[in-house]
Amino acid sequence: DLGGGGEQEARPLGARQGEPSPIGDNGAAQGYAGGKIFYSPDTGAHALTGAILSKYESLGGPTGDLGLPVGTESDGGVPNSRVSAFSAPDKPVIFWTPDSGAIVVRGAINAAWQKLGAATGTLGGPSGEQSVSGDVVTQKFGGGEISWNRATKEFSTKPGELAADLAGLELPDAVADTPAGSGAGTDETKGGWHWWWLAVIIPLVLLLGLLGLGAMR
């Protein structure tokens, strides 16, 4: 039994598939033809479907750092969008649109995005995962971007005038210090394939050169 809300949420999900799987000491997950319900006594029973479910499970699902879903998957506020919230201390969400797919918004950037009206505000929905460069975490949205400097505890935005609306936004440590999500990249890792390629090609060129010298002799 996945709790009092489970049966109601299960109806649009189609036929149940298999038996419930345990989550921790007292939670459970139950698969259905059209999605999955996750339950714990603290969060209740909530369904995830489609691309949001796929994204959640790709990041570890209930064993990852997003926690469990804490509400019903709902309309994201802009056409053809969906959003689900999760129980991690920084209150992350997964936001989906057909154009951008399912994207995690979390930590200080999520707090700022919500303050600016979330998807119905100037920035619109997220268009890419968070990226990290040194102390600065950045996320792009359809109408601009938000950056959070974890060292100076300051926001910057594009368009720049939005930063004024974030002045004085108080963030708990659990939100302010949350690193970018699993989909984030760093400047180093984004360019890392170039160095990997050089590490392979240079020894290969040297080896071919030695072989050529040997053949000449």
Side-chain angles (χ1 to χ4, degrees), residues 65-84:
D65 66 356
L66 293 179
L68 291 167
V70 293
T72 302
E73 183 182 307
S74 60
D75 184 281
V78 294
N80 302 316
S81 64
R82 305 290 292 172
V83 65
S84 286

Side-chain angles (χ1 to χ4, degrees), residues 7 14 29 55 82 91 103-104 121 135 143-144 150 184 189 194 211:
E7 290 302 316
K55 180 73 170 184
R82 305 290 292 172
K91 302 179 181 178
I103 296 173
V104 176
D135 291 320
R150 289 178 289 183
T189 57
H194 296 291
L211 291 174

Side-chain angles (χ1 to χ4, degrees), residues 62-149:
T63 64
D65 66 356
L66 293 179
L68 291 167
V70 293
T72 302
E73 183 182 307
S74 60
D75 184 281
V78 294
N80 302 316
S81 64
R82 305 290 292 172
V83 65
S84 286
F86 297 86
S87 64
D90 65 311
K91 302 179 181 178
V93 300
I94 297 178
F95 192 93
W96 175 86
T97 62
D99 292 336
S100 298
I103 296 173
V104 176
V105 189
R106 69 181 314 172
I109 288 181
N110 185 35
W113 183 53
Q114 299 294 337
K115 177 75 180 295
L116 295 172
T120 60
T122 301
L123 290 176
S127 58
E129 297 287 351
Q130 294 180 2
S131 62
V132 183
S133 178
D135 291 320
V136 179
V137 182
T138 299
Q139 188 152 25
K140 295 183 182 297
F141 297 82
E145 67 182 45
I146 301 172
S147 293
W148 168 245
N149 189 314

